[in-house]
Amino acid sequence: MAQHFDVLIIGAGISGIGSAVHLKLKAPQKKFAILERRESIGGTWDLFRYPGIRSDSDMSTFGFEFKPWTQSKVLADGTSIRNYVNETAKEYNIFEHIHFQRQVKTANWSSARKMWELEVLNVANNTTEQWTADFLLGCTGYYNYDQGFKPAYPDEDKFKGTVIQPQHWPENLDYSGKKVVIIGSGATAITLVPSMADKAAHVTMLQRSPTYIATVPAIDALYDKMKKFMPEKVAYQLTRSRNIGVQRLVFKLSQEKPELVKKFLLKAVKLQVGKHVDMKHFTPNYNPWDQRLCVVPDGDLFKTIKRGKASVETDQIERFTENGILLKSGKHLDADIIVSATGLNIQILGGLQATIDGQPVNTSNHMLYKGVLLSNIPNAAIIIGYTNASWTLKVDVAADYLARLFNYMDKKHYKVVLAKADASELTDDTVMGSLASGYIKRAEHVMPRQGKSEPWRVSMNYLKDKAELRSSSFEDDILTFDGGKANNKKRFKLFG
């Protein structure tokens, strides 16, 4: 016999836990459950265990709006974030709603039954369970937990050392006195370099092209002071508002005056690395925010390079050798350990196969209504965070919107909602916006699309979304409801 819930949330990471709390607070009549394939909550922050893992957004905006982040660190380490998510789940009694080691394999919308029918693998005993739900909420993030992106390196099999993918960091790896080469230039690579440099003999960051890197304070001194003379919640909200404004300002300036922002960022780097480091390693060939801007606390990366404990090479790989990497320039990098910090593999809804009445759903043929509801798929939403601000900001406004939607539907006795769209609205751009990062380009075949016009344009503007999602009406020409009542003549036809 299938277990039935009003709402099934897939994933117990930041999005899943945050959405569950919003439901509990704002739509308490809804019976919900969270299906989590792993044995613990936290998602990314429980899976990734590489040295130095930390947030790449400030914690006043990465924390939930309903639960202040009380520590003064601007960028928190993975353990602290994992503890924060666990504290949140305990505080709001979310654990009682979580079903661990449950991997959703298929989800079929039945038009006849007006509900989702799920096949769920119980990982613990390798049995298949049947679950049903009125509404399906995808909170799995957008990358594959099983395997990160790793290129096929020429002659990798000839290397006699250890090759590591950060997503699956070996427990208790001893890199003391070892020569380490980290391939990559994104958030993971710039975190690993200073974190490994003190123990390693030397760390080299090998990049094909540079990334913009900005320094932020390790400690928020103003937040520290405010907490001493005002309520913690007030201090948190003021700090959060300030940092949201700063994020928007930097992004807006990057779009409108890219040369000015570029000049500022590069000058700041030059001051920190010193005159002996070639600035070609920190000068990208694109404008700020064409790809995600990386941040380092108190310039730890630059200090490590300046001390000579680490170095940067901007080149391409010719092939692996027995004891390192031969570059196309002819230079050889000696290595005992090579870390392939080359990005993520993208997938949507945790890789499950979704169908409507048995017909497969290709998520790249769909859009997001107001950045939340999947077009032409009944009772389905996914939460995808911002690329230019903290992920959690989107969780808060999207989950709040869904709670309002559920309350509206209950009041009107509606059972089904459909965001109806015409295929002519689809564009070639994905919901990830204008980012040109490699992992985004590799995901074009699975990511939902941008539409040509509102409400199918996914905004990367939190302030705009907050105003829109918290006040918008559910009565428009796009949302179609079917309550199954005799006096309700509205019906819809699925397409797309």
Side-chain angles (χ1 to χ4, degrees), residues 427-434 440 443-444 447-450 458:
T427 70
D428 291 333
D429 297 330
T430 73
V431 293
M432 301 303 286
S434 60
I440 302 294
E444 291 178 346
M447 293 297 292
R449 300 284 171 179
Q450 288 279 20
V458 174

Side-chain angles (χ1 to χ4, degrees), residues 24-35:
K24 203 159 193 178
L25 295 177
K26 297 164 185 172
Q29 78 281 9
K30 289 299 181 185
K31 181 185 176 185
F32 71 89
I34 302 175
L35 298 178

Side-chain angles (χ1 to χ4, degrees), residues 368-372 386 394 397-398 400-402 404 454-459 461-476 478-479:
L368 293 181
Y369 172 83
K370 297 190 176 180
V372 182
Y386 296 110
K394 185 60 175 286
V397 293
D400 178 81
Y401 173 82
L402 288 171
R404 285 204 310 117
E454 300 287 351
W456 305 112
R457 299 294 299 172
V458 174
S459 165
N461 184 337
Y462 166 72
L463 296 176
K464 177 178 179 292
D465 283 350
K466 183 179 179 181
E468 167 70 14
L469 292 174
R470 292 193 168 170
S471 62
S472 60
S473 169
F474 301 114
E475 298 173 2
D476 59 20
I478 294 172
L479 290 185

